[in-house]
Amino acid sequence: MRLLLLVLLISLACVQTAFAQTTPEALAGALQAAARAGDASGYQRLLHAEGTFAVEGPNFAADLGRVPQPTATYLFSGIRLDGPQASARLSLSWERVPGQMSRVLLPVTLFKVGEVWRYGGESLQALPAGKYSLLALDMPGLPERAAIIAPLLSQAAVRVRDTLGMEVPDAATVKVYPDMAVLSASVALSLQPVGGWNEPGEAIKLVLPGGANPDQELLRVLSHEFTHLSVSAAAGEGKDKRIPWWLHEGLADFVSRAYWTPGAAESRRGRVAGYAKADWVPLFELADFNAVPESQWKYVYAQGLGLVEFLADTCGKDVPMRLALAFAETGEADGAAQALGFDSFSDLETKTQTWLVAR
Ligand SMILES: [Zn+2]
């Protein structure tokens, strides 16, 4: 019996050695296997978490747990060893939408802990940005081009303060990506390509726009994402998720619409009036980001902003934020609406629709 136990222990040890990530290639294979199986905790064990990646990494892994990626392939190339670290390029492909492969190339950092390699996420270059942190993905030309963002950070923060009376936390970290596909691949493999991103505890992520005058577009995205950050900070630790997604986006667009073109503002106004009249999605269906299908995203932003504009116009500029804080306190829609003097949440929602149609 004792011999059997010994044999068992030895074979267990062999299995562990065989599966330990003693080379970057083995690490890529393990990341791929965990992504395919939707093994969130297994994926997380392969991460070297530090800085904002300490939050981003587990969130990325949790997405794999919710939406496994059975077609994902991970491949490191151009591996350059540098002491206990290595830089590499990660070729990542996966079928996010059936029949359509997504492919991105990311500069990444790997860490050697003892004999084992761990994945440290994207390689970034820090840029001077005063009290904020500004980082650009470390790929040719991007950090140089991203330097134009630095002076816009305080401008966007002033916009948040002037519109909602809130301060953007000094700890704000902004990471810059070359395009939407690469940005979304750094957030979650299930995420459709987006131009900006913020999640409590994570860095703000945004795409550096092309074109001759990117400042307006950058201020639009920065003021939108800074609003998310400030609203989360005001809600307090662990309470942010009680604020419905539609309200978060409504507040963020309420601030960033200052940088919309007249055409964009006009089209949004017409669209939400149409929704209010005949195509309104009940707001409780738009409360949880993870439960809202991509086809419904347009209602989240339009109806969210519509309700925020209704409150700001008819009750006062500070009232939309008071609604968010009431949600953060109670996590309950009727209580939050009653805190503003409405009979119920349904009363607030109906009055919003009536106002949007008549506006
Ligand atoms: Zn947003």
Side-chain angles (χ1 to χ4, degrees), residues 136-154:
L137 198 61
D138 190 10
M139 50 196 302
L142 190 69
E144 292 77 4
R145 291 196 294 125
I148 59 163
I149 295 171
L152 304 178
L153 296 170
S154 49

Side-chain angles (χ1 to χ4, degrees), residues 19 42 48 56 142 183 201 261 270 275 327 341:
F19 283 90
H48 182 79
E56 291 169 5
L142 190 69
L183 189 163
T261 62
Y275 295 163
F327 264 109

